[in-house]
C-alpha cells in the first residue's frame, strides 16, 4: 500500500532469499520478480502444444521459488505456467483496475492484495469467476475471516486466499535483559497480555534503563499493530467511512502519540533506508512482527544479531498482509486457471510455500503440517514460530476492510503520528492527518 501496510515492505526481500535458505522469509514482500513470460495462447518456451496459464502477479509471491509451478506441470504435462510480474503493487494495481474496467488485457489468474480486495469486491466482482462454485474448492479450508474478505454480500467469492500476516511482537532478548525485563517469550507475552496500554507501560520500564536504544521501531509500526487488532477501524459493516468518529482509531492514535512524546518509538518511517540502518545497528528492542518481518530483519541485520531475537504473543491478535488469486471471466483458459489456483492454494501447497518463502498459510489445516510446526528461523533460534503465528492467525478478528483503507492508514502514519516524534502536539498531528486524508479521499 504505499501506505506502509504491505507493498512498501517488499523492497529487499529477494536479496534476503539467498541468506535465509529454507528459513522464514518475507513471502509477502515487494521485491522485483523476474518479469516472467506474459504470453497467452497455447504454448510457451518448450511447451509446444501445451496450454499456458498466465499469472498476473506483483512482488515476490514465491510460487515459482517454492517449486510449485514445476510440481503442477509434472502432475499436468499438458499445462505450462507463465508469470507476468510487476515489481510493486502500487504499479500493478492501477493497471489491473484499468484492465478490469475495459475487460481486456487480463491474465488467466490475477493476484489481488488484501488492501485492495474490498474495492475489487465492491466494484469489479462481476468480472471474476465465483470460486465458491468451482469443483474442489472447500470454504472450510480457509480462515473464516480470510474467506469473507473476498466475498460479496450476495455470496460470490472472487478469489482464493494465499497467505496471511498474523502479528506477534519480535523482541531483542539481549536488550530486554539489559533493561531488567524478562527474556522468556511466555513471560514477555504476559507483561502486555490483552492490552496495548500495558505494552506502552513495558516501554516506559524499558526506557528507564535502556541506553542508546528505543523500545519500538516506529510510530507507524505501533499504530498499524493496534489498528490491525480491531474489528472495525476505518469503515463500518455498512461501508461508511468512520475513521474520525471511531473511538478505537482515536485511541490508537492517542496511545501511539503518547509513546512518541515519551520517546518510546524511534522517529522513523518503516521500510525507508534510515529505518533499515536502525535494524542493522540494533537501535530498537521491539517491532510488530508478522512472519514475513523475520525475513526483513534477517536481510537488514548484521550477522551477530542472529539468535538474539525472539517472538512473543502480541497484546491482541491482528493481521498485516495477505493476497488472493482470482480468475477473470475473460481469461483465455478459465477452466484450467480455476483448477490450478484451487490446487495452488490448497493447505499442502500453502505449507510448502511457507517453508520456502515465509508466506504464512491462510489454511488452518496447514498449521498441523511439519513445514509449519517445525519451522525455525535464524533470527529467533529455537522459537516455535509456526505455533505462535498459527495461534495469532486463528484469533485475529474478522476485520472490516474498506476501499480506501490504504489512504487512511498512510495519512494517520505519515501525516500524523510521525509528526509527534518531530515536536508536534498530538492534537496538531491529528488535525494534519485528518485534513490530509480527507483531501485525498475527495480526489
Amino acid at each position: 500500500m504505499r501506505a506502509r501496510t504491505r507493498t512498501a515492505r517488499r523492497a529487499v526481500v529477494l536479496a534476503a532469499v539467498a541468506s535465509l535458505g529454507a528459513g522464514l522469509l518475507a513471502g509477502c514482500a515487494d521485491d522485483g520478480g523476474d518479469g516472467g513470460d506474459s504470453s497467452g495462447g497455447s504454448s510457451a518456451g518448450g511447451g509446444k502444444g501445451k496450454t499456458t496459464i498466465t499469472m498476473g502477479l506483483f512482488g515476490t509471491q514465491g510460487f515459482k521459488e517454492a517449486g510449485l509451478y514445476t510440481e503442477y506441470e509434472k502432475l499436468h504435462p499438458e499445462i505450462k505456467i507463465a508469470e507476468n510480474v510487476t515489481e510493486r503493487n502500487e504499479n500493478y494495481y492501477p493497471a489491473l483496475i484499468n484492465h478490469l474496467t475495459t475487460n481486456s488485457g487480463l491474465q488467466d489468474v490475477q493476484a489481488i492484495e488484501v488492501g485492495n480486495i474490498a474495492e475489487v469486491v465492491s466494484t469489479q466482482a462481476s468480472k471474476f469467476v465465483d470460486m465458491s462454485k468451482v469443483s474442489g474448492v472447500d470454504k472450510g479450508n480457509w480462515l473464516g475471516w480470510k474467506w469473507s474478505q473476498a466475498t460479496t454480500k450476495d455470496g460470490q467469492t472472487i478469489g482464493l486466499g494465499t497467505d496471511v500476516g498474523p502479528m506477534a511482537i519480535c523482541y531483542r532478548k539481549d536488550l530486554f535483559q539489559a533493561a531488567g525485563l524478562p527474556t522468556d517469550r511466555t513471560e514477555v507475552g504476559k507483561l502486555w497480555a490483552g492490552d496495548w496500554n500495558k505494552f506502552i507501560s513495558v516501554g516506559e520500564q524499558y526506557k528507564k534503563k535502556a541506553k542508546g536504544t528505543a523500545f519500538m521501531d516506529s510510530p507507524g509500526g505501533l499504530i498499524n499493530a493496534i489498528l490491525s487488532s480491531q474489528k472495525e477501524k476505518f469503515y463500518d459493516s455498512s461501508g461508511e467511512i468512520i475513521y474520525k468518529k471511531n473511538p478505537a482509531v482515536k485511541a490508537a492514535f492517542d496511545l501511539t502519540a503518547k509513546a512518541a512524546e515519551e520517546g518510546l518509538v524511534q522517529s522513523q518511517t518503516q521500510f525507508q533506508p534510515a529505518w533499515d540502518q536502525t535494524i542493522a545497528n540494533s537501535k530498537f528492542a521491539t517491532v510488530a512482527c508478522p512472519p514475513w518481518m523475520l525475513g526483513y530483519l534477517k536481510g537488514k541485520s548484521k550477522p551477530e544479531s542472529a539468535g538474539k531475537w525472539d517472538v512473543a504473543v502480541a497484546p491482541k491478535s491482528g493481521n498485516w498482509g495477505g493476497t488472493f488469486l482470482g480468475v477473470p471471466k475473460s481469461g483465455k483458459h478459465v477452466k484450467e486457471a480455476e483448477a490450478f489456483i484451487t490446487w495452488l492454494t490448497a493447505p499442502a501447497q500453502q505449507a510448502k510455500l511457507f517453508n520456502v518463502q515465509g508466506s504464512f498459510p491462510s489454511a488452518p489445516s496447514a498449521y498441523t503440517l511439519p513445514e509449519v510446526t517445525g519451522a525455525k528461523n535464524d533470527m529467533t533460534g529455537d522459537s516455535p514460530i509456526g505455533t505462535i503465528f498459527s495461534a495469532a492467525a486463528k484469533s485475529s478478528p474478522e476485520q472490516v476492510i474498506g476501499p480506501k483503507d490504504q489512504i487512511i492508514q498512510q495519512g494517520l502514519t505519515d501525516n500524523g503520528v510521525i509528526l509527534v516524534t518531530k515536536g508536534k502536539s498530538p492534537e496538531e498531528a491529528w488535525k494534519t492527518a485528518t485534513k490530509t486524508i480527507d483531501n485525498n479521499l475527495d480526489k
Side-chain angles (χ1 to χ4, degrees):
M1 310 174 162
R2 203 185 152 262
R4 313 287 190 295
T5 47
R6 185 178 148 88
T7 59
R9 61 184 164 76
R10 294 180 178 267
V12 297
V13 171
L14 201 58
V17 174
S19 63
L20 282 178
L24 280 185
L25 178 59
C28 300
D30 229 354
D31 195 85
D34 61 6
D37 179 353
S38 61
S39 62
S42 60
S43 65
K48 186 175 181 180
K50 296 184 178 184
T51 297
T52 299
I53 300 174
T54 57
M55 301 282 289
L57 307 175
F58 58 89
T60 305
Q61 300 292 322
F63 308 126
K64 181 178 180 180
E65 292 79 358
L68 295 177
Y69 295 161
T70 300
E71 183 177 350
Y72 192 79
E73 289 167 352
K74 287 180 179 178
L75 293 171
H76 301 272
E78 76 283 4
I79 297 293
K80 180 76 176 177
I81 311 299
E83 285 189 344
N84 182 7
V85 182
T86 300
E87 183 175 354
R88 300 181 69 84
N89 185 48
E90 58 213 60
N91 297 321
Y92 167 87
Y93 181 64
L96 173 62
I97 289 297
N98 181 59
H99 291 313
L100 289 168
T101 301
T102 61
N103 207 31
S104 63
L106 291 161
Q107 307 297 307
D108 294 318
V109 176
Q110 295 283 173
I112 307 167
E113 206 271 341
V114 64
N116 305 122
I117 191 67
E119 184 170 34
V120 177
V121 164
S122 63
T123 65
Q124 303 292 339
S126 64
K127 308 294 178 60
F128 286 92
V129 169
D130 182 355
M131 292 302 299
S132 70
K133 297 179 179 178
V134 171
S135 176
V137 173
D138 181 357
K139 174 182 177 180
N141 278 346
W142 282 267
L143 292 162
W145 57 264
K146 180 73 172 180
W147 180 270
S148 297
Q149 287 175 338
T151 302
T152 65
K153 292 181 178 180
D154 61 2
Q156 178 189 351
T157 301
I158 70 165
L160 299 180
T162 58
D163 59 313
V164 289
M167 275 196 292
I169 299 294
C170 288
Y171 66 98
R172 283 284 295 250
K173 292 181 288 187
D174 55 334
L175 297 181
F176 266 46
Q177 184 175 26
L181 293 170
T183 59
D184 175 78
R185 68 184 71 94
T186 301
E187 295 304 312
V188 169
K190 289 179 180 177
L191 293 176
W192 51 60
D195 191 343
W196 285 104
N197 287 282
K198 291 181 181 179
F199 183 74
I200 299 306
S201 295
V202 175
E204 291 168 341
Q205 295 176 51
Y206 178 87
K207 186 183 177 183
K208 290 177 182 178
K209 293 186 177 181
K211 296 181 179 179
T213 61
F215 177 62
M216 196 174 189
D217 69 300
S218 67
L222 177 57
I223 193 172
N224 180 44
I226 299 171
L227 290 172
S228 293
S229 65
Q230 300 295 321
K231 182 174 177 60
E232 287 187 347
K233 52 177 184 176
F234 307 145
Y235 288 74
D236 64 17
S237 57
S238 72
E240 180 186 353
I241 295 176
I242 60 168
Y243 86 95
K244 281 192 290 190
K245 61 183 180 182
N246 182 357
V249 174
K250 189 60 165 60
F253 190 95
D254 289 345
L255 187 59
T256 304
K258 175 185 177 182
E261 284 187 306
E262 295 181 2
L264 307 183
V265 296
Q266 296 185 127
S267 182
Q268 298 290 343
T269 299
Q270 288 185 317
F271 311 106
Q272 298 301 304
W275 181 73
D276 292 345
Q277 281 300 115
T278 68
I279 297 174
N281 296 324
S282 302
K283 289 295 186 182
F284 59 87
T286 68
V287 61
C289 194
W292 53 261
M293 184 64 80
L294 293 175
Y296 201 99
L297 293 175
K298 171 71 175 181
K300 293 301 180 182
S301 295
K302 295 176 181 177
E304 55 265 32
S305 293
K308 293 182 179 179
W309 289 90
D310 209 333
V311 185
V313 175
K316 293 183 179 180
S317 297
N319 184 73
W320 184 6
T323 301
F324 300 83
L325 298 178
V327 177
K329 293 178 180 177
S330 63
K332 294 182 179 179
H333 306 294
V334 172
K335 292 300 180 184
E336 293 86 350
E338 290 173 358
F340 176 52
I341 69 167
T342 299
W343 178 88
L344 189 60
T345 59
Q349 279 63 257
Q350 289 200 33
K352 292 173 186 176
L353 186 63
F354 173 64
N355 190 45
V356 174
Q357 192 73 8
S359 300
F360 200 77
S362 59
S365 60
Y367 302 163
T368 60
L369 297 177
E371 293 93 338
V372 177
T373 59
K376 295 291 185 292
N377 177 264
D378 288 348
M379 302 306 292
T380 55
D382 65 353
S383 181
I385 50 180
T387 302
I388 294 170
F389 289 124
S390 295
K394 291 176 182 178
S395 58
S396 292
E398 184 173 326
Q399 190 172 72
V400 177
I401 298 177
K404 304 301 180 183
D405 270 21
Q406 295 181 17
I407 290 174
I408 299 170
Q409 181 77 51
Q410 186 171 351
L412 292 174
T413 300
D414 294 356
N415 303 101
V417 288
I418 189 69
L419 301 180
V420 183
T421 67
K422 302 179 185 300
K424 295 286 187 181
S425 70
E427 293 77 16
E428 290 176 303
W430 176 257
K431 288 179 181 178
T432 301
T434 54
K435 181 179 180 180
T436 303
I437 292 166
D438 290 346
N439 286 341
N440 287 330
L441 290 176
D442 289 339
K443 291 180 180 178

